[in-house]
Amino acid sequence: SQKIEQNSEALNIQEGKTATLTCNYTNYSPAYLQWYRQDPGRGPVFLLLIRENEKEKRKERLKVTFDTTLKQSLFHITASQPADSATYLCALDRGGTSYGKLTFGQGTILTVHP
Amino acid sequence: SQTIHQWPATLVQPVGSPLSLECTVEGTSNPNLYWYRQAAGRGLQLLFYSVGIGQISSEVPQNLSASRPQDRQFILSSKKLLLSDSGFYLCAWSPGNWKAFFGQGTRLTVV
């Protein structure tokens, strides 16, 4: 069956360090992989989308890599700040006849300590 | 710009009562619309998906139903709520480019 796993349920880091979050998937062949941020009691907010033919995507302090051979995406936040503390979700499109449907990982709770 | 409205923000309902959650999108036409549920400490589970008026795809057999009476309106309903229906319900829309934009969610507690 299809599975998405975000390896760490929680990640604690010091301010200024780089946070690295992992998303692994099995039995998918996604055309796209996305990362979202979710604050407590709020809906997820779209951050980045990376296509299967892209190795890396950047946006300000955020960087996403996508390795379709390893079936893995890494999400990096450089120079992390306490305001980056949130839950981060990865999501895959299911492709094919399930076009447009996203499946989400369980999320990683990131806490950045001052 | 596009906005999505979802209400109410919180809801406490007794077991066996009906449910109606509404979601509307402004500033776009013919969006893909979604209902997700998020149980405490867990990921998002896709419940329903719609690509047009009256077109509903159900992902998980359950006590809930969805309707899309207008292009930018998506409604989640139940005739009789169960305790297991408690959770955080999220409506989302997509312009068809795979990015999803979420509403603020409804926290439903069935007592």
Side-chain angles (χ1 to χ4, degrees):
Chain A
S1 64
Q2 297 173 323
K3 284 182 66 176
I4 303 174
E5 287 185 352
Q6 293 189 241
N7 288 9
S8 298
E9 200 169 306
L11 180 64
N12 292 279
I13 64 169
Q14 286 298 124
E15 183 176 7
K17 301 293 185 183
T18 296
T20 299
L21 286 66
T22 305
C23 177
N24 294 288
Y25 59 92
T26 55
N27 297 324
Y28 277 100
S29 295
Y32 295 79
L33 187 144
Q34 306 180 45
W35 285 88
Y36 290 77
R37 169 182 173 142
Q38 186 175 23
D39 292 291
R42 309 294 292 272
V45 174
F46 171 80
L47 295 176
L48 281 169
L49 179 151
I50 186 166
R51 295 172 172 77
E52 62 176 338
N53 60 351
E54 297 177 316
K55 297 297 183 186
E56 183 178 298
K57 199 84 169 274
R58 291 176 185 262
K59 178 183 176 183
E60 298 173 351
R61 294 184 296 111
L62 309 179
K63 185 178 84 171
V64 174
T65 63
F66 192 14
D67 189 324
T68 55
T69 301
L70 291 178
K71 296 186 183 292
Q72 181 181 80
S73 174
L74 299 178
F75 177 77
H76 306 272
I77 305 176
T78 57
S80 59
Q81 305 166 0
D84 295 324
S85 298
T87 297
Y88 291 86
L89 304 165
C90 71
L92 300 176
D93 78 282
R94 300 183 197 174
T97 56
S98 296
Y99 174 89
K101 296 180 182 178
L102 295 177
T103 300
F104 284 80
Q106 301 286 78
T108 296
I109 301 171
L110 173 67
T111 303
V112 181
H113 299 281
Chain B
S1 64
Q2 300 86 11
T3 56
I4 180 169
H5 302 280
Q6 184 182 345
W7 67 92
T10 58
L11 193 59
V12 179
Q13 291 283 98
V15 169
S17 64
L19 173 73
S20 181
L21 301 181
E22 188 165 341
C23 172
T24 59
V25 181
E26 296 178 354
T28 187
S29 59
N30 198 32
N32 294 338
L33 295 173
Y34 309 79
W35 278 111
Y36 285 88
R37 178 170 61 199
Q38 187 173 35
R42 302 188 65 181
L44 280 70
Q45 179 186 35
L46 180 62
L47 302 176
F48 298 97
Y49 170 63
S50 174
V51 296
I53 295 174
Q55 301 180 60
I56 309 295
S57 171
S58 175
E59 284 289 297
V60 181
Q62 58 207 320
N63 187 40
L64 303 169
S65 62
S67 62
R68 185 170 176 173
Q70 300 181 43
D71 181 45
R72 291 168 289 174
Q73 183 185 30
F74 206 22
I75 298 171
L76 182 70
S77 304
S78 174
K79 292 182 179 177
K80 288 186 179 182
L81 284 168
L82 305 172
L83 286 174
S84 58
D85 292 323
S86 294
F88 190 45
Y89 288 83
L90 289 154
C91 180
W93 76 276
S94 173
N97 62 357
W98 290 273
K99 298 176 188 177
F101 300 92
F102 287 83
Q104 290 305 298
T106 296
R107 176 75 58 191
L108 172 66
T109 304
V110 182
V111 297

